[in-house]
Amino acid sequence: MLKHAILYPLFLVVGFVSLLIGIFGGSFAWFFVVLLLAVGMTAWGAFDIRLGYFTHTFFRKKYNAKGLIALSFDDGPSPHTAEVLELLNTYQFKATFFCIGKQVLAYPDIAKQIIDEGHTIGNHTYSHNRNFGFLKEKEVVAELEQCNSIIQQIVGKKPKFFRPPFGVTNPSVAKAVQYTKHQIIGWSNRSLDTVTLEEDKIYQRVCKRLKSGDIMLFHDTSQRTVNVLKRLLPHLQKQGYISVSVDDLLNLHGYED
Ligand SMILES: [Zn+2]
């Protein structure tokens, strides 16, 4: 697996040598090739959570032959979460909700209901800042700690799972989670339910990619997603899939002791 810790010094050395070649040889072509590669790799690593480029991430359960998957929902709780919970209950599926601190404050009873019904809550920062990818380590730590303390106040549990907003990882996020001891949970099956407007397209997309051990990413923030789930959950059951929480899928502890 390509890692930032290995590639970054390599890019620096090769970049420096190609710069010298440019200065003394007259052509900076190699320098620009190295520069492009370095920028491209950093951007790819920042936006593809499955790479684990800057820090270790969990995004699926490998070698899972039992038909287990983990449904996960970001950005709630919201007024749509209750219907998502009702559907999960109908099919006896468990899920993981990566909650925004501000939303937990706005809908504390729904956050409690998530826990009471046996699902797991993870940290999705306090404010879901649009510029999350540009925050400094200290600011990421503050977002994580504020969200954790709200969740602890409301439901009595301190999450260890963290899903970065927009799935962004970078050196600040890597250092922040090293400090807070959160485990980053990504996904292997992304519904794109916030950007795809047609319910049928969302349904077809996730079904086409469906594999045992998948962590599936949805958002409990729209009626569109609820409607997709109404079709998807019976399909999963019919195909022999069972949704469990991320802690059960990966055999990890979801909360601090
Ligand atoms: Zn989000």
Side-chain angles (χ1 to χ4, degrees), residues 181-228:
K181 307 269 188 291
H182 279 92
Q183 289 162 324
I184 296 185
I185 309 292
W187 56 77
S188 54
N189 192 334
R190 185 180 201 174
S191 65
L192 294 178
D193 57 345
T194 54
V195 289
T196 308
L197 298 180
E198 287 167 59
E199 290 161 11
D200 187 54
K201 272 193 183 167
I202 301 170
Y203 174 80
Q204 299 297 347
R205 179 187 162 89
V206 291
C207 287
K208 207 168 77 186
R209 291 170 162 74
L210 191 60
K211 292 179 303 295
S212 218
D214 262 352
I215 296 178
M216 301 176 79
L217 167 62
F218 289 93
H219 295 78
D220 51 328
T221 53
S222 75
Q223 191 57 42
R224 187 166 61 237
T225 298
V226 171
N227 293 344
V228 171

Side-chain angles (χ1 to χ4, degrees), residues 87-153:
L87 279 166
L88 291 170
N89 198 25
T90 304
Y91 294 92
Q92 294 292 299
F93 284 168
K94 298 296 177 214
T96 304
F97 292 79
F98 290 92
C99 295
I100 298 172
K102 275 185 177 176
Q103 293 299 112
V104 175
L105 282 179
Y107 302 98
D109 290 341
I110 300 179
K112 282 182 208 154
Q113 195 188 339
I114 291 173
I115 296 295
D116 289 347
E117 296 186 2
H119 306 288
T120 296
I121 286 186
N123 187 317
H124 198 43
T125 72
Y126 169 68
S127 71
H128 207 280
N129 191 321
R130 275 166 187 251
N131 298 316
F132 180 76
F134 299 100
L135 298 186
K136 293 179 194 134
E137 179 196 345
K138 265 188 179 174
E139 295 168 316
V140 177
V141 168
E143 282 277 345
L144 280 164
E145 287 184 338
Q146 207 175 349
C147 182
N148 254 30
S149 96
I150 290 166
I151 292 170
Q152 190 177 25
Q153 253 173 50

Side-chain angles (χ1 to χ4, degrees), residues 235-255:
H235 173 75
L236 290 174
Q237 196 179 51
K238 218 171 152 189
Q239 297 289 313
Y241 287 103
I242 297 168
S243 176
V244 295
S245 58
V246 164
D247 25 341
D248 281 346
L249 182 77
L250 301 175
N251 296 318
L252 295 172
H253 288 293
Y255 305 103

Side-chain angles (χ1 to χ4, degrees), residues 140-142 144-145 148 159-160 162 173 175-183 256:
V140 177
V141 168
L144 280 164
E145 287 184 338
N148 254 30
K160 278 177 79 172
F162 168 52
V173 173
K175 281 185 228 152
V177 295
Q178 204 177 5
Y179 176 76
T180 61
K181 307 269 188 291
H182 279 92
Q183 289 162 324
E256 278 181 31

